[in-house]
Amino acid sequence: MLSARPGGVRETNAATVLDVIRQAGPLSRAAIERRVALSPPTVSRQVAALIELGIVREVPELTHSGAIGRPRVPVDIDETALAACGVHIGVSTTTFGLADLRGRLLADEHLPTPGGGPEDVLDFLASRLAVFLHRRPQRSVVGIGLVTGGHVDPDHGVVDHERLGWYQVPVRDLLAAATGRPVHVDGHLPAMATAELLFGLRRTPRSLLYCYARQVVGVALVSGGRLHRGPGRGSDIAHLAVGTDVPCPCGRTGCLEVSVSEQTVLAEAVADGVVDRPDIHLLHATAAAGDPGAARILAARARTLGRAVAAVRDVVDPDLVVLGGQAITDAPEQLDELRHSFADHTALPGAPPPQVTRFGADVQAVAACTSVLAHLYDRPFALFTAARRKS
């Protein structure tokens, strides 16, 4: 369970049944009853309602024929009919994604984040999104998730993003008006951590620290199976001191984000003659080809990230640390460097090495879709009611 469910007893029961099927399906109705504190008639009603919505389906080919009495037909998440659409707006790149109900990415598209005012940007993205979805008519889209950095108010759908120049922008209302679809807004770090909880981990740990690095850095914390959502900028570790000599716009030196951002490592690589233009893919390819200068720059970045992750880990002491973002997933040859740095700097005993998200470079697209899917698993009836109002 990721959040409180204010939708009433019926919706709470449906979400409980759906969560069990997501985690352990395919399951017979009897098997579901053994896992939840609900009566057989209640389970049957909720399963029937979820089948009618197209969220789950019966899987008769998996029925155990040797059982005594009426065959118990398993049910499972229906991955064939519905989909969630996602939009991740980054500082330099915007990503579209389309995922099935198990968070499996069906399609994605990347484009430069357009400049201009937020209304013009969202109108442009809505037009591109319509083309993206028109190419894939086989699925019924239950909603659009929009995730981004900065300060995001998911309840009101409002974003403050200094690096985009967006202040108190009602992104949910603007994109919903432009697309005619229900829109769910979240910060990219909470959405990425939620994607790990719902679809990335075999077992949900008691506590999880999710760390992200690309153009920006940040963390999200899960405790007791719930995402922690504090007030304000709870995931902002951009100005964590990491001991480099890189000046930060804040006036200090050695802040984490400016030390490991793509702009910084590319500026160094161009200045040192390692690459002839600021292209992160070129820098990775140059390192992979054996260039010592490129390897040195990326290794230094990995060591700085390892030190920062160790510092945050020592503060919150989670059961598991998960790493995401292209600063990590696009540089697998530097992962050992990061882990060694983490081990050298963590002060708490028994720290398991950080693991990398299984979503790889798709993490932005999956996270954006997850901002819709989390609503579906938490309040399935409310999500479909909102979708019908928009249709």
Side-chain angles (χ1 to χ4, degrees), residues 58-333:
E58 291 189 323
V59 193
E61 63 269 24
L62 297 181
T63 303
H64 182 51
S65 59
I68 298 173
R70 183 180 179 183
R72 296 178 175 180
V73 180
V75 294
D76 201 1
I77 301 298
D78 190 340
E79 304 162 10
T80 63
L82 303 178
C85 179
V87 180
H88 176 275
I89 302 177
V91 174
S92 61
T93 303
T94 290
T95 302
F96 297 157
L98 190 71
D100 68 18
L101 299 194
R102 284 202 176 274
R104 298 188 184 101
L105 199 61
L106 303 170
D108 66 337
E109 183 177 309
H110 307 272
L111 62 151
T113 297
E119 293 86 354
D120 292 336
V121 169
L122 291 169
D123 276 344
F124 173 79
L125 293 180
S127 65
R128 289 289 298 266
L129 195 62
V131 175
F132 173 75
L133 293 176
H134 183 71
R135 297 194 195 109
R136 299 156 184 95
Q138 303 89 349
R139 301 279 177 145
S140 176
V141 176
V142 296
I144 297 173
L146 186 152
V147 303
T148 190
H151 183 202
V152 178
D153 180 345
D155 294 329
H156 298 95
V158 174
V159 167
D160 284 294
H161 197 313
E162 185 174 355
R163 295 187 67 178
L164 292 178
W166 291 11
Y167 302 98
Q168 286 297 289
V169 178
V171 294
R172 180 180 63 198
D173 294 343
L174 290 172
L175 190 60
T179 62
R181 298 177 184 270
V183 174
H184 305 273
V185 175
D186 206 351
H188 66 168
L189 264 298
M192 290 174 189
T194 301
E196 293 295 333
L197 284 179
L198 286 177
F199 311 118
L201 303 173
R202 291 184 179 180
R203 299 180 63 183
T204 302
R206 291 174 304 171
S207 56
L208 166 71
L209 176 67
Y210 185 89
C211 302
Y212 173 86
R214 189 183 188 183
Q215 296 278 34
V216 298
V217 296
V219 297
L221 179 64
V222 171
S223 180
R226 292 178 180 269
L227 180 68
H228 171 69
R229 292 185 180 272
R233 303 175 185 269
S235 65
D236 191 346
I237 58 168
H239 300 286
L240 180 70
V242 290
T244 71
D245 59 0
V246 181
C248 181
C250 75
R252 291 176 288 184
T253 299
C255 295
L256 173 61
E257 185 168 284
V258 73
S259 297
V260 302
S261 71
E262 287 185 3
Q263 294 96 322
T264 299
V265 298
L266 288 174
E268 181 180 357
V270 171
D272 290 353
V274 173
V275 294
D276 60 4
R277 62 186 184 277
D279 183 328
I280 194 66
H281 301 294
L282 176 61
L283 180 60
H284 287 299
T286 303
D291 184 277
R296 170 183 54 79
I297 291 170
L298 293 174
R301 184 193 207 188
R303 286 193 296 272
T304 300
L305 284 169
R307 177 178 179 177
V309 172
V312 180
R313 183 260 174 182
D314 286 356
V315 171
V316 300
D317 193 17
D319 292 325
L320 180 65
V321 176
V322 176
L323 308 174
Q326 278 77 354
I328 292 128
T329 58
D330 282 0
E333 67 280 358

Side-chain angles (χ1 to χ4, degrees), residues 10 14 43-56 381:
R10 180 170 176 262
V43 169
S44 292
R45 284 195 300 271
Q46 303 313 321
V47 168
L50 294 170
I51 289 174
E52 183 179 358
L53 291 173
I55 301 174
V56 304
F381 301 151

Side-chain angles (χ1 to χ4, degrees), residues 2-29:
L2 299 178
S3 65
R5 292 171 177 151
V9 173
R10 180 170 176 262
E11 186 142 58
T12 297
N13 291 342
T16 299
V17 169
L18 182 58
D19 198 47
V20 169
I21 298 170
R22 176 186 63 81
Q23 293 187 63
L27 294 171
S28 68
R29 291 161 177 79

